[in-house]
Amino acid sequence: MVIDMAIFHMSFSNISAGKGRSAIASAAYRSGEKLFDDKEGRSYFYARSVIPESFILTPKNAPKWANDRQKLWNEVEKKDRKSNSRYAKEFNVALPVELSEDEQKELLTKYVQENFVDQGMVADVAIHLDHPDNPHAHVMLTNRPFNPDGSWGLKAKTQYIKDSNGKQLLTKSGFPKQRKIWLVDWDKKEKITEWRHNWAASVNQVLEQKNIPDRISEKSFIEQGIDDTPTQHEGINSKRHERKAFNQQVKSQRKAQAQYHNLDQKIRNHEHFDALTDELSFSEKHTIHDLSQQLKTYVDLEHLDDKERMLFNWKNSLLIKHAIGEDVNQKLLTIDQQSMSLEQANQLLNRVVDRATKKLYPTVNFEQTTPAQRRELIKETNSEQTIFKDSELTERLADIRSDLLNQQLLTFTKRPYTSWQLVNQQAQTIEKQLTAVLAKHGHQLADLKHTDRGILAAYQSNELELISKAVKDLRVIREVKTVVQTQYNSILMTAFPDSDLDQLDTIDKEQIYTAVVYYDPELKPLSVDDLRQLQHQPPVVFTNQQHQAGLNYLLGKIELQDVKDHRLQRVLKHDGTRQLFLGECGQDSKLNHEQIEAVQTRLRHQATRFDQYKQEQVKDYQAINYHQTSPKNYLTNILDEALITILYAKNSDYLRKQQLRGLKETEWEMTKKQRQHQTRNRHEDGGMHL
């Protein structure tokens, strides 16, 4: 017999934009409520077999709308718009199984009210009772206080440092000296220790009141100096039965602990499975050790992405400091050294990934996959502790190809891909502003590329701030373009191995990319005949049942995970493929076409809301949306003769046929007048002429 004992579990984390997380999605997942995200123009809903008990606690200065979960977290994301903004603080806490559900709720509510809400935070509480042995709660907390009038307050303020005479002090670079004054202490490390201690004290107080002998502690066993619980001598007196019961309880506890440690060890051993470990040679392990020390981070597939972004941002800031006169040569040298080490680490991991892929996935075609895709496959293998097989592997690779573009952009730049036109327009606007500022001091944009030390020393602080932001934004845009081009090229080169992609505009690439994702998900090389067939008679990709399921999702009747077909899920995620799907639905005679019209109306409404939001948030934003079309019209419009020639530029047979065809057309045009003359003569002499 195993008896459930009081346990301590409380973990804190941040829900932040920098980690690609959404406050709306997080709140929807924890509460089980369907919530609409104003920024993304879509709803989040996560179906649960047991509906959580959720409620919101607000401080005295909070406005009434703070009690509305959807309004609350949309306002949070609207207020904090930086790429690294922390939307909320969250903690997960185990509720004592010794208490009833009402008692658990009462205990948690009192604790949250006293420790967080009374201090100025809004608390969004969700109690999960899916399993009787694991009652727990998720609590999301706002990071920003409210002013007395109910408006959002500041987390911190800037204080300028002055001398005894009240004169502003300056740094060596000429900037005003300043310090940050925190107006709340919620981010201090010691607060978590305090909150954990207060929870243990709250639980123990209730257990004591109910005469339950168990106690919990936020401290580890080592910190408590506890090795085990001793048994009691039973004896033969009146207390014998009590002592016997106690000893039985201790034995049960020991058995439960032994089972727990055994399971924990198994889990730990399982977690240590790494698809790359067995493929590393002794020398490679030694190299990784050295590179980890040089880069000051562990060399693996996860950490290198973060390191690359860190070096990118660090170099941005140093180049500006160099331009205003600071000596940053040593730091730039460090960056260059770490960049070389990073490149070496990436090359090593790519080799090891390829060996692991060949061993675990011998059917994977290396010519049809990129190193980035194979790295992602190994990442997911390690993350899910699963070796994907057969159709599951095919689906997983297709999902990776579908999501890799946005994933890479978010990982590296923290920016989703909006549109190529917008990126170019933003770059032009930034360059125009930058040129105007530089011209005041007799400099040009080209001068910044050399970044001579001290070139910006005479500039005002506001000008330096503008230049710093502009240079960083331009470098980010350049990286965005590189990532987009790399992704498009990798897909198109697989489908069209004889293409000359340098001749294609990015817009053309995107349109063909959409067609390939829809009609050739396995990325089999497409011949000229295949393309002609697609153009003249596009195949019907999905069944009537799949058409209906897709429409139900687009109408908001079901969630994406309820769509069983993975290929259809990928199609429904993106605007381009979604319009091809709707065009195909329009040719399905078994469907109610009013449904299709309703979907188009709904999508237009969502796009309008999204565009309005983006226009308010993003400078130079221009709405660029896919229009309603049929598969045949779409393919006819994009697959003109010039584009097909580019796609098969290296195919000599095709080029030779094209040249012969051109000669015949030229010959036909040259003999046109002769044929017309003969026709006229034939008509004039009754059809008889020599």
Side-chain angles (χ1 to χ4, degrees):
M1 176 182 177
V2 177
I3 300 176
D4 293 316
M5 307 295 290
I7 60 170
F8 182 93
H9 171 77
M10 178 178 263
S11 59
F12 285 82
S13 63
N14 289 308
I15 298 172
S16 62
K19 295 180 180 179
R21 300 182 68 184
S22 160
I24 306 296
S26 300
Y29 177 78
R30 285 147 183 77
S31 67
E33 185 179 339
K34 186 175 182 177
L35 302 177
F36 186 83
D37 191 324
D38 293 341
K39 181 172 64 177
E40 297 182 9
R42 56 164 292 189
S43 294
Y44 282 98
F45 176 73
Y46 303 90
R48 292 184 172 275
S49 56
V50 179
I51 304 298
E53 182 172 1
S54 60
F55 52 91
I56 293 177
L57 302 174
T58 58
K60 60 180 182 180
N61 291 336
K64 289 183 179 180
W65 53 257
N67 290 284
D68 184 330
R69 180 170 288 110
Q70 180 172 288
K71 177 73 172 176
L72 170 66
W73 297 115
N74 270 304
E75 288 295 322
V76 166
E77 291 202 2
K78 187 176 178 181
K79 182 66 178 178
D80 295 307
R81 298 182 297 208
K82 294 182 178 179
S83 60
N84 62 345
S85 290
R86 288 186 292 179
Y87 299 134
K89 196 182 303 295
E90 177 198 27
F91 70 88
N92 181 321
V93 62
L95 302 175
V97 296
E98 294 81 4
L99 305 181
S100 67
E101 292 180 6
D102 289 341
E103 290 169 341
Q104 290 170 353
K105 181 180 177 182
E106 183 182 356
L107 166 67
L108 178 66
T109 304
K110 185 174 183 293
Y111 168 77
V112 171
Q113 181 71 42
E114 293 176 352
N115 287 271
F116 304 102
V117 180
D118 289 348
Q119 308 306 313
M121 301 179 181
V122 177
D124 188 352
V125 183
I127 300 175
H128 290 195
L129 302 171
D130 307 60
H131 196 287
D133 297 330
N134 184 33
H136 62 279
H138 296 267
V139 183
M140 290 175 61
L141 305 161
T142 54
N143 278 325
R144 189 180 291 274
F146 286 105
N147 295 318
D149 62 354
S151 61
W152 287 115
L154 298 174
K155 291 183 282 188
K157 66 178 183 180
T158 300
Q159 184 183 67
Y160 291 96
I161 303 174
K162 301 179 180 179
D163 60 16
S164 57
N165 299 320
K167 186 179 178 181
Q168 176 68 60
L169 296 176
L170 302 176
T171 64
K172 292 180 180 179
S173 306
F175 292 103
K177 281 190 176 182
Q178 58 188 34
R179 65 167 68 93
K180 181 179 284 187
I181 306 295
W182 289 98
L183 302 177
V184 292
D185 61 354
W186 305 334
D187 285 327
K188 291 183 177 179
K189 292 182 179 179
E190 54 266 27
K191 291 300 290 186
I192 293 179
T193 303
E194 177 187 327
W195 291 330
R196 286 167 58 86
H197 172 76
N198 290 349
W199 172 250
S202 299
V203 172
N204 289 335
Q205 184 180 8
V206 174
L207 293 177
E208 185 178 5
Q209 290 173 353
K210 297 189 175 296
N211 294 319
I212 298 173
D214 299 318
R215 297 292 182 269
I216 67 172
S217 175
E218 77 281 9
K219 298 179 180 179
S220 66
F221 280 173
I222 295 176
E223 290 174 323
Q224 297 178 73
I226 298 175
D227 184 33
D228 199 356
T229 305
T231 57
Q232 296 177 357
H233 178 66
E234 293 178 9
I236 56 172
N237 58 22
S238 60
K239 298 288 187 180
R240 181 184 62 196
H241 297 293
E242 293 180 15
R243 290 170 180 168
K244 187 175 181 179
F246 176 81
N247 288 343
Q248 183 61 43
Q249 189 175 7
V250 171
K251 291 175 183 178
S252 299
Q253 183 180 5
R254 287 175 177 175
K255 183 180 178 181
Q257 287 176 340
Q259 291 175 341
Y260 167 79
H261 288 303
N262 186 37
L263 180 61
D264 183 63
Q265 191 60 44
K266 288 182 179 179
I267 292 172
R268 289 179 183 274
N269 291 337
H270 195 56
E271 286 177 345
H272 288 158
F273 165 75
D274 188 335
L276 299 183
T277 301
D278 295 338
E279 302 304 319
L280 286 169
S281 66
F282 178 79
S283 62
E284 286 173 336
K285 290 179 181 178
H286 185 71
T287 303
I288 284 179
H289 175 73
D290 291 342
L291 289 172
S292 297
Q293 290 185 326
Q294 294 170 23
L295 294 169
K296 295 181 172 51
T297 186
Y298 187 68
V299 173
D300 62 11
L301 297 176
E302 301 291 345
H303 288 82
L304 290 190
D305 290 339
D306 293 333
K307 188 67 181 182
E308 188 173 2
R309 183 174 62 242
M310 188 207 76
L311 288 176
F312 175 80
N313 292 330
W314 190 17
K315 192 169 185 177
N316 275 339
S317 63
L318 287 183
L319 289 175
I320 297 299
K321 290 179 180 179
H322 177 77
I324 62 176
E326 288 190 30
D327 185 7
V328 295
N329 289 330
Q330 190 59 43
K331 292 180 180 179
L332 285 173
L333 181 62
T334 302
I335 290 177
D336 290 339
Q337 291 172 343
Q338 291 205 358
S339 296
M340 292 174 61
S341 299
L342 183 66
E343 185 179 359
Q344 187 181 352
N346 275 317
Q347 290 174 352
L348 188 153
L349 285 185
N350 282 343
R351 291 197 300 270
V352 181
V353 163
D354 287 351
R355 292 204 298 268
T357 304
K358 289 177 181 178
K359 179 180 178 180
L360 300 176
Y361 304 105
T363 60
V364 170
N365 190 332
F366 275 49
E367 293 182 357
Q368 296 184 9
T369 55
T370 64
Q373 292 168 4
R374 294 193 290 273
R375 286 175 72 140
E376 211 53 41
L377 177 62
I378 296 301
K379 276 185 188 179
E380 295 192 8
T381 301
N382 288 338
S383 174
E384 299 184 29
Q385 298 288 289
T386 302
I387 298 174
F388 311 110
K389 296 181 180 178
D390 303 327
S391 61
E392 189 180 10
L393 173 60
T394 303
E395 292 294 341
R396 187 56 60 115
L397 282 172
D399 287 337
I400 288 171
R401 284 193 292 265
S402 174
D403 298 336
L404 195 59
L405 176 58
N406 280 333
Q407 186 175 334
Q408 285 183 318
L409 288 174
L410 288 171
T411 299
F412 185 68
T413 66
K414 297 185 180 180
R415 295 187 180 194
Y417 175 51
T418 306
S419 74
W420 192 257
Q421 290 96 327
L422 176 61
V423 169
N424 284 331
Q425 184 60 48
Q426 287 178 330
Q428 291 174 10
T429 302
I430 293 169
E431 288 177 358
K432 190 175 180 180
Q433 293 172 344
L434 200 53
T435 301
V437 174
L438 293 170
K440 294 180 182 178
H441 298 267
H443 292 135
Q444 299 177 356
L445 195 60
D447 297 332
L448 286 180
K449 296 179 181 179
H450 306 292
T451 59
D452 295 331
R453 184 179 173 187
I455 188 175
L456 306 178
Y459 285 59
Q460 300 294 321
S461 58
N462 60 330
E463 293 175 327
L464 290 173
E465 186 178 352
L466 187 149
I467 292 172
S468 177
K469 186 178 184 305
V471 170
K472 182 180 179 180
D473 286 344
L474 285 175
R475 293 194 75 215
V476 168
I477 287 172
R478 186 181 68 194
E479 295 298 330
V480 167
K481 288 184 174 183
T482 302
V483 171
V484 171
Q485 291 284 8
T486 302
Q487 176 69 0
Y488 283 175
N489 289 352
S490 68
I491 299 297
L492 296 181
M493 281 302 294
T494 306
F496 308 101
D498 294 324
S499 62
D500 186 2
L501 297 179
D502 292 338
Q503 295 187 38
L504 286 177
D505 292 333
T506 304
I507 304 301
D508 292 330
K509 290 181 183 179
E510 198 277 338
Q511 290 177 329
I512 304 168
Y513 176 91
T514 298
V516 169
V517 169
Y518 193 85
Y519 291 105
D520 186 27
E522 296 181 8
L523 293 187
K524 297 177 180 178
L526 296 170
S527 67
V528 179
D529 292 337
D530 293 333
L531 218 57
R532 294 294 188 197
Q533 182 65 27
L534 275 178
Q535 193 176 23
H536 293 110
Q537 193 173 356
V540 178
V541 177
F542 300 104
T543 65
N544 171 260
Q545 290 79 6
Q546 291 168 331
H547 288 157
Q548 190 60 63
L551 292 177
N552 286 338
Y553 162 71
L554 294 173
L555 286 169
K557 295 180 179 180
I558 61 174
E559 296 301 310
L560 189 60
Q561 59 265 29
D562 297 328
V563 177
K564 304 304 180 185
D565 187 82
H566 289 278
R567 183 177 179 181
L568 180 56
Q569 285 185 4
R570 290 189 294 274
V571 164
L572 295 172
K573 284 182 182 179
H574 307 289
D575 290 341
T577 51
R578 195 158 51 209
Q579 289 300 334
L580 287 176
F581 172 78
L582 290 172
E584 186 177 303
C585 289
Q587 300 169 1
D588 190 342
S589 58
K590 296 180 180 179
L591 290 178
N592 181 356
H593 285 240
E594 291 181 357
Q595 274 188 309
I596 302 173
E597 293 176 4
V599 168
Q600 292 286 9
T601 302
R602 189 168 188 266
L603 291 177
R604 284 194 297 270
H605 178 67
Q606 289 178 350
T608 301
R609 289 188 62 177
F610 178 77
D611 290 335
Q612 288 174 347
Y613 177 84
K614 282 295 183 181
Q615 284 169 352
E616 295 173 358
Q617 307 296 326
V618 180
K619 194 173 183 180
D620 301 316
Y621 180 80
Q622 295 177 353
I624 302 172
N625 298 306
Y626 282 83
H627 299 293
Q628 186 175 348
T629 185
S630 68
K632 189 170 183 177
N633 286 341
Y634 182 83
L635 294 171
T636 301
N637 288 333
I638 67 169
L639 297 177
D640 58 20
E641 201 61 40
L643 188 142
I644 293 177
T645 302
I646 293 172
L647 292 179
Y648 299 95
K650 300 174 187 176
N651 189 325
S652 57
D653 290 337
Y654 178 74
L655 285 177
R656 190 162 53 252
K657 289 177 183 177
Q658 287 294 101
Q659 289 170 356
L660 290 173
R661 181 177 175 182
L663 287 172
K664 288 181 180 179
E665 289 176 352
T666 303
E667 185 179 351
W668 181 262
E669 287 295 323
M670 289 176 66
T671 59
K672 183 177 179 181
K673 289 188 176 181
Q674 183 181 350
R675 294 194 308 275
Q676 290 174 344
H677 179 70
Q678 291 173 348
T679 303
R680 275 196 307 272
N681 289 341
R682 187 167 63 245
H683 286 292
E684 289 171 358
D685 60 10
M688 297 181 64
H689 62 276
L690 299 176

